[in-house]
Amino acid sequence: MQLPLQTMNLVLGFMVWVIISALLPFIKEDISIPADRLAILTAIPVVLGSILRIPLGYYANVIGARIVFIASFILLLFPVYFISTASSFTHLVIGGLFLGIGGAVFSVGVTSLPKYYAKEKLGLVNGIYGMGNVGTAITTFAAPVIANQIGWSRTVQLYLILLLFFVLLNVFLGDRKEAKVKTPIMEQIKGVYKNEKLWFFSLFYFITFGSFVAFTVYLPNFLVSHFELAKVDAGIRTAGFIVVATCLRPVGGWLADKFKPLFLLMGVFIGLTIAAILLAFSPSIGLYTAGCLTIAVCAGLGNGIIFKLVPLYFNKQAGIVNGVVSMMGGLGGFFPPLMLSVIHSITGQYSIGFMALSQIALASLVIVVWMYYQDKLSVSSEVFNSTGQGILVTDLAGKITAVNPAFTKLTGYSKEEVIGKNPSVLKSGRQSPEFYNHMWTAIQEHGSWQGEIWNRRKSGEEYLELLTINAAKDDSGDIINYVGTFSDITSHTPYSRVGRGDNKINSAAKLQG
C-alpha cells in the first residue's frame, strides 16, 4: 500500500508546486508582472521546496512518512488559497515561496520506502516513487485547459479539494507502525558531510533533476515568447517533456539494479553534454525538440540511477543524505532559469547558458569516471585488508612496500616496523642458502613459487607457514612487484617435525611452475 500511496502523494505535491509557472500566461493578463521578474517568479517555489527537503527527509525517519505528508498537505492549503486571491506581484511571490512545501515532500518517500524493500530492488522502487514527478505534467497540461474555461483563480482553488482529500487518505491509509530512526539530525550531518560521495551525488542530482525542474518552469513561457506557439500547445509540449523524463525514472532505477550504476551515469552525462551543445546553437523548433527530448531522457534515467546509489553508500544516514541530495537537485532547478534570464537580458540569446550546462555535464562525466575506477581500487583494497592470509608486497630491490592487517596478526610486526625493510627480518635460519636460490630461480622462470618455510615472529617464536610468492607484472610484461601470501600451518604439523629443528623440512618445499 505504501508505494502507491506515497507515489500519489508526490504526484499531488508536484502538481501544487508548479501552479504558478503553468498558469503564468493567464496570470499575466490580470496582474502586471515586469518582464525581468518572470524568471524570479517561476523560480521562487523551488527555493523552499529545496531547503525543506533536509528536515522533511529527517523527520520522515523520526516520526514516519504518514505524519509528514499529512502536515505538509495541511500547510499547503494556505498558500494555495492565498495565490487564488492574489492581486499583485508581491502576493504571488509570497504564495509561491510556500508552494515549495509541495516540492519538498519528495525527500519523504525516498527516505521511507527503502524500509519496506530489499536492497536489490531499491532502484526500481525509488524510480517508481519518482514517477510522482508526473504531477508537474498534469498541472502543466490540465491547468491551462481548465483555466480557459473557468479562469486561473478558480482553477487554483480546485487544488484545495485535492489537498483535503489526500489529508484524509493519509490519515486512514498511512502506515502508523513505520520503523523509526531517531539519530539526532546534527549527529547524522556530522557523519556524512565529510564524505565526498555526498557532494558528488548532490552535483549529479543538481544537474539531472535540476534540468528537469528548470525545463518544466522555463519551457511554457519560452515556447510562447520565442517560437510564438499557442499557450495550450506550449503546455502540451512541456507536458510531453515531463512525461518522458518521469516515465524513464523507474527505468533508470531498474537498470541500476541490474547493471553498474556509475557506468550508466557516464552515458547520462554524455547525452546531457551533447544535447546542451545542440540547444546552444538556437536551432529550429524541430532540432530544439530533439535536444529537449534528449535532456528529458538523460534527466529521467539519471534521476532513477542516483537514488539507487544513495542507499548503497549511505544506508544508515539515508534520511539526511536523501534530503541533502534532493535539496541540491531542487536548487538545480532554481538557478538555471535565473541564469538564462540574466544571460538573455545581456546578450539577447540563451546560447551561453546552454553551453555552461554542457560544460558542467562534461565535468560530471569526468567525476563519474574517476569514481568508477576509485570503486574498483577500493574493492581491491578491501580484499587486501580483510583477507585472513598474511600479505606482503616488495619492490624489485626486495624492500617491503605494503603489508596487510593479517600480516601483523601472524608475525607480530606492525606495518611501520617492516616497511622499507627486507623480508629477511622474518628469517628463522632453518633454511639453507640453496633453498632460497631454488625459490628465486622458480620465481624468475615461472613467475610464482609455493612451499613450506620456517619463519620467526617478532616474539622470537618460530612457526611453519605455507607461502606463495607471485611476480606482479605490468601491461608490457615487466615485473614491478613481488607479492607473498602466507598462512600459519604449524598446528597442522606433527609434533616430532616441529620439535626436531633439523633441516629435513626443507625437502618438503614444493617448487611449482
Side-chain angles (χ1 to χ4, degrees):
M1 177 60 70
Q2 294 313 301
L3 178 57
L5 175 63
Q6 294 191 28
T7 301
M8 291 305 299
N9 286 340
L10 184 62
V11 170
L12 177 61
F14 273 54
M15 285 174 65
V16 174
W17 197 21
V18 296
I19 288 175
I20 291 179
S21 63
L23 294 174
L24 191 57
F26 296 90
I27 295 173
K28 287 192 301 181
E29 295 175 356
D30 293 333
I31 300 175
S32 177
I33 303 173
D36 59 344
R37 295 188 180 182
L38 287 174
I40 296 176
L41 187 58
T42 57
I44 279 293
V46 181
V47 177
L48 200 63
S50 302
I51 297 173
L52 280 182
R53 288 184 175 191
I54 295 179
L56 261 62
Y58 169 74
Y59 282 109
N61 258 339
V62 175
I63 61 178
R66 174 178 173 269
I67 299 298
V68 178
F69 275 123
I70 291 171
S72 298
F73 293 152
I74 291 174
L75 290 173
L76 278 170
L77 291 170
F78 299 97
V80 170
Y81 179 75
F82 186 74
I83 289 171
S84 72
T85 61
S87 59
S88 69
F89 174 77
T90 303
H91 291 169
L92 293 172
V93 169
I94 295 172
L97 177 65
F98 290 98
L99 284 184
I101 298 171
V105 298
F106 174 82
S107 63
V108 180
V110 292
T111 300
S112 170
L113 290 173
K115 300 174 184 178
Y116 299 94
Y117 296 90
K119 182 175 288 189
E120 59 270 16
K121 295 182 178 180
L122 294 185
L124 178 60
V125 169
N126 278 333
I128 292 173
Y129 172 73
M131 287 186 71
N133 290 350
V134 78
T136 58
I138 293 173
T139 289
T140 303
F141 171 73
V145 176
I146 298 173
N148 260 334
Q149 304 300 318
I150 64 174
W152 68 268
S153 180
R154 289 186 179 180
T155 301
V156 173
Q157 290 174 0
L158 291 177
Y159 286 83
L160 298 173
I161 301 172
L162 286 173
L163 287 167
L164 289 171
F165 175 74
F166 270 80
V167 168
L168 295 175
L169 207 60
N170 281 276
V171 167
F172 292 107
L173 298 180
D175 184 8
R176 289 177 168 85
K177 299 180 180 180
E178 180 180 329
K180 309 296 193 298
V181 179
K182 297 187 177 180
T183 307
I185 188 169
M186 291 309 298
E187 186 176 326
Q188 287 197 35
I189 291 174
K190 289 179 182 178
V192 299
Y193 81 94
K194 291 184 179 179
N195 191 322
E196 62 189 16
K197 289 184 175 62
L198 167 64
W199 305 111
F200 288 153
F201 294 160
S202 296
L203 171 64
F204 302 155
Y205 202 58
F206 180 91
I207 297 170
T208 56
F209 185 72
S211 299
F212 169 78
V213 175
F215 274 76
T216 298
V217 300
Y218 150 86
L219 279 176
N221 195 59
F222 176 80
L223 293 175
V224 172
S225 61
H226 188 74
F227 289 108
E228 298 181 350
L229 298 181
K231 288 179 286 188
V232 173
D233 187 12
I236 293 173
R237 289 173 182 266
T238 304
F241 172 91
I242 296 169
V243 168
V244 170
T246 300
C247 291
L248 286 175
R249 185 163 188 151
V251 175
W254 177 78
L255 288 173
D257 285 334
K258 302 295 182 183
F259 305 101
K260 294 179 179 179
L262 291 177
F263 190 76
L264 296 172
L265 268 186
M266 295 180 198
V268 166
F269 288 121
I270 289 173
L272 284 174
T273 301
I274 295 173
I277 292 174
L278 174 63
L279 295 178
F281 287 94
S282 301
S284 62
I285 185 65
L287 289 176
Y288 198 89
T289 300
C292 287
L293 288 177
T294 302
I295 286 180
V297 169
C298 294
L301 292 175
N303 291 339
I305 293 167
I306 291 166
F307 277 95
K308 166 68 175 182
L309 288 168
V310 171
L312 286 181
Y313 288 91
F314 299 95
N315 187 35
K316 294 182 179 179
Q317 305 96 354
I320 198 70
V321 173
N322 281 325
V324 172
V325 173
S326 58
M327 178 193 74
M328 295 303 294
L331 291 176
F334 173 72
F335 289 107
L338 295 181
M339 182 183 70
L340 288 171
S341 178
V342 171
I343 291 173
H344 186 267
S345 65
I346 296 174
T347 65
Q349 54 186 339
Y350 296 99
S351 299
I352 296 176
F354 289 122
M355 284 303 295
L357 171 62
S358 72
Q359 297 309 300
I360 296 173
L362 184 60
S364 298
L365 171 63
V366 173
I367 294 173
V368 174
V369 172
W370 178 82
M371 287 182 64
Y372 179 77
Y373 286 103
Q374 280 292 110
D375 272 6
K376 294 181 70 173
L377 290 175
S378 67
V379 170
S380 300
S381 176
E382 184 65 26
V383 172
F384 180 80
N385 288 320
S386 63
T387 182
Q389 287 188 308
I391 302 176
L392 74 158
V393 182
T394 73
D395 58 21
L396 296 181
K399 301 297 182 183
I400 298 175
T401 59
V403 296
N404 72 338
F407 173 93
T408 298
K409 183 178 180 180
L410 291 169
T411 67
Y413 287 100
S414 68
K415 179 174 69 173
E416 291 74 19
E417 291 175 309
V418 296
I419 294 296
K421 295 184 178 180
N422 193 283
S424 59
V425 297
L426 303 173
K427 287 179 65 173
S428 66
R430 289 200 183 198
Q431 285 79 220
S432 65
E434 289 77 11
F435 175 90
Y436 293 105
N437 288 336
H438 284 299
M439 180 179 75
W440 284 105
T441 298
I443 294 172
Q444 296 299 323
E445 291 180 356
H446 305 292
S448 65
W449 176 90
Q450 185 182 70
E452 297 174 359
I453 183 171
W454 286 93
N455 271 336
R456 191 187 306 272
R457 307 186 208 275
K458 182 180 178 181
S459 63
E461 175 191 3
E462 293 184 354
Y463 67 98
L464 183 66
E465 70 181 31
L466 178 62
L467 172 66
T468 301
I469 301 176
N470 289 292
K473 299 180 180 181
D474 60 18
D475 293 338
S476 63
D478 295 329
I479 297 175
I480 53 175
N481 289 105
Y482 295 104
V483 181
T485 59
F486 63 92
S487 54
D488 186 347
I489 60 171
T490 308
S491 60
H492 303 296
T493 305
Y495 178 80
S496 57
R497 283 178 61 189
V498 176
R500 281 208 309 264
D502 58 30
N503 282 328
K504 292 181 180 179
I505 187 66
N506 294 341
S507 63
K510 293 171 280 184
L511 301 180
Q512 297 186 350

